[in-house]
Amino acid sequence: MKYTYWYLILFVITFYACDDNKQTIIETTPSTHTLKKVGEYEIEIDSVTANNFIHYQHYVDNGTEYFTFLNRVTQEINFYDLEKKSLSFKVPLPLQGPNAVGNIEGFNSGYHIHNLDSIFVVNRNARRLLVLNSKSVKIGEIDFSRYGYQPTPVLAPFAPMSIIDDQAYFLNIQGNIDYMGRNISYGSDYASVIDLKTSGKEYFLSYPESYTKGTWGLDLHRLSWAINDDNHFVVSYPIDEHLYEYDLYGNLINTHRAQTNKVKKVKSIKKKQMTLRGSQEYYASQGKYGQVFYDTVRNIYLRDSFSPVSKSDIQAGLINEYERPLIILDKSFKKIGEFNEPSKNQLVLFFNEDGIHKCIQGANEDLLKFEIYALSTI
């Protein structure tokens, strides 16, 4: 009788745990790692350079490491030598003339340095992919516009470009999506493959089934991806606790749970919330998953996430009072820990042998400030 009683209790606990899983997954794997600050440094910038950039890239050329970013004031790519901690050179992106790339503004137009003879620039507004060298001479151009509602490529920190065997891979701006209604299906063209030799284009990538279960607005449709050592794309969807692993042809290889208990199951937006204020409060009240990074040195994944803001804080107008767990997974996608990221700004990270570098906004507008973190056991 005693054993029957304990089995009954175990059944009840298991039943309710499974029922709760419909809302959130209960984590049982203990954390073994976190990120530990091990250093910091600063780089001086000139008076015509803004330190609140969007687009950046860590680039290595013949053993010299550079931190680069797009200076929105002058529309130049600034190259900073990380060893010397100083500006090395700039590559202007001309607005006019025979080498013009047009106005590169906004979150979805950016650049990718393949090498100093091939700097790719996406002008999202003009629907053009342009190629320049370090002398700002335009050496190639591809029209990637599509007709009607079709998605077109973007180039942004959350959506970096990759080049593999003369094929360029991009995430696309979402098209043909009813942001304020339920989508019973999605297309399969939310990523682009552009042949750099022939300018031919192919498309792949869709949204998981979880997106057909509700209405999510624009913000919760923003994808992020990273590419790993196997040349597999790892995609983060804001409402989904999994990371999705795809091959270069868009075939789904596997899904990997990559969640935090700080993000509960995201609820669908209600019709009464479809106002400016209502949508702001809705997004604040929902947790979400953000950008995914792959550290090729330590072979770990980092997934940004945001907890819901409490109802009382929302009512007080404190919509930024959220927690920001940075989820840490090893190469096999096993979760090994979390790091509580204190910043509310865009997460600017790059990786080298010295550690995980994070650029942070400081009070001094004439300096770039970086912190260095190590993967540390608890």
Side-chain angles (χ1 to χ4, degrees):
M1 183 67 181
K2 179 172 63 175
Y3 295 109
T4 303
Y5 174 77
W6 282 110
Y7 276 122
L8 179 60
I9 291 178
L10 180 61
F11 171 78
V12 172
I13 292 174
T14 303
F15 175 81
Y16 280 104
C18 290
D19 186 65
D20 286 344
N21 283 350
K22 296 177 182 178
Q23 301 301 316
T24 184
I25 300 297
I26 300 173
E27 289 186 281
T28 58
T29 303
S31 294
T32 58
H33 291 74
T34 187
L35 301 183
K36 180 181 179 181
K37 183 180 173 182
V38 294
E40 62 181 38
Y41 60 94
E42 295 176 336
I43 297 176
E44 187 175 348
I45 59 177
D46 56 39
S47 60
V48 294
T49 298
N51 68 353
N52 58 341
F53 55 87
I54 296 175
H55 302 281
Y56 69 94
Q57 184 181 340
H58 172 241
Y59 173 68
V60 181
D61 181 59
N62 293 323
T64 302
E65 286 190 72
Y66 298 97
F67 178 76
T68 76
F69 68 85
L70 179 61
N71 179 16
R72 59 184 178 81
V73 177
T74 59
Q75 192 162 292
E76 296 174 308
I77 303 173
N78 291 9
F79 286 70
Y80 294 90
D81 187 313
L82 287 171
E83 182 179 359
K84 297 178 180 178
K85 306 293 188 295
S86 63
L87 178 67
S88 184
F89 60 94
K90 301 180 180 181
V91 176
L93 303 180
L95 284 165
Q96 298 177 332
N99 298 307
V101 300
N103 192 356
I104 308 301
E105 61 178 358
F107 204 69
N108 296 314
S109 297
Y111 71 96
H112 171 79
I113 307 164
H114 185 55
N115 56 52
L116 293 181
D117 292 322
S118 299
I119 300 174
F120 292 83
V121 178
V122 166
N123 185 325
R124 173 67 181 81
N125 297 323
R127 306 292 200 273
R128 312 292 288 181
L129 173 64
L130 307 109
V131 190
L132 287 79
N133 61 24
S134 59
K135 304 299 183 182
S136 301
V137 176
K138 184 164 61 177
I139 56 177
E141 186 171 354
I142 295 175
D143 181 354
F144 55 50
S145 61
R146 301 178 70 188
Y147 297 102
Y149 60 79
Q150 301 293 351
T152 51
V154 301
L155 183 48
F158 67 92
M161 170 186 176
S162 296
I163 299 177
I164 303 168
D165 296 332
D166 293 319
Q167 304 290 308
Y169 295 81
F170 300 87
L171 277 182
N172 292 335
I173 280 285
Q174 299 87 348
N176 196 29
I177 293 177
D178 184 357
Y179 293 113
M180 291 305 173
R182 180 168 296 190
N183 295 271
I184 60 173
S185 64
Y186 288 84
S188 297
D189 53 3
Y190 295 105
S192 295
V193 187
I194 298 179
D195 190 308
L196 297 177
K197 290 184 175 180
T198 68
S199 300
K201 308 173 187 69
E202 295 182 4
Y203 305 94
F204 68 96
L205 196 65
S206 188
Y207 283 83
E209 186 180 1
S210 55
Y211 272 82
T212 66
K213 308 299 182 183
T215 301
W216 312 110
L218 174 62
D219 190 53
L220 295 179
H221 275 94
R222 297 187 188 276
L223 311 183
S224 170
W225 73 3
I227 191 165
N228 64 21
D229 293 332
D230 298 318
N231 283 343
H232 293 166
F233 288 106
V234 178
V235 182
S236 175
Y237 298 90
I239 73 167
D240 201 303
E241 64 200 14
H242 298 85
L243 290 174
Y244 288 70
E245 186 180 8
Y246 298 90
D247 67 17
L248 295 179
Y249 304 97
N251 300 309
L252 179 63
I253 298 172
N254 210 338
T255 60
H256 309 279
R257 194 176 302 283
Q259 92 286 11
T260 172
N261 282 340
K262 300 294 177 61
V263 178
K264 309 302 180 184
K265 182 178 175 63
V266 182
K267 298 179 181 178
S268 174
I269 189 171
K270 298 178 181 178
K271 189 172 183 179
K272 65 180 181 180
Q273 296 173 306
M274 295 181 186
T275 63
L276 178 59
R277 180 174 179 178
S279 61
Q280 290 176 338
E281 292 179 350
Y282 163 73
Y283 288 127
S285 69
Q286 304 299 308
K288 68 174 182 178
Y289 294 98
Q291 187 171 353
V292 59
F293 303 84
Y294 180 64
D295 181 345
T296 58
V297 178
R298 279 149 287 276
N299 301 125
I300 59 172
Y301 298 91
L302 301 175
R303 191 187 195 192
D304 203 6
S305 66
F306 305 83
S307 73
V309 179
S310 69
K311 186 175 181 179
S312 59
D313 281 339
I314 292 175
Q315 291 173 342
L318 304 174
I319 60 173
N320 286 328
E321 292 301 311
Y322 52 78
E323 294 182 74
R324 192 177 186 180
L326 194 58
I327 303 163
I328 309 169
L329 303 103
D330 66 16
K331 187 175 183 178
S332 63
F333 294 94
K334 176 185 177 183
K335 182 178 177 182
I336 58 175
E338 290 185 3
F339 171 74
N340 187 25
E341 168 56 41
S343 170
K344 307 295 184 182
N345 301 316
Q346 174 189 348
L347 200 53
V348 177
L349 299 180
F350 69 89
F351 312 97
N352 67 12
E353 295 292 342
D354 295 333
I356 299 167
H357 298 243
K358 180 175 71 171
C359 186
I360 62 174
Q361 280 192 329
N364 192 334
E365 296 181 352
D366 297 324
L367 292 173
L368 294 176
K369 186 174 181 180
F370 294 84
E371 295 177 341
I372 306 175
Y373 289 83
L375 180 65
S376 176
T377 56
I378 296 175

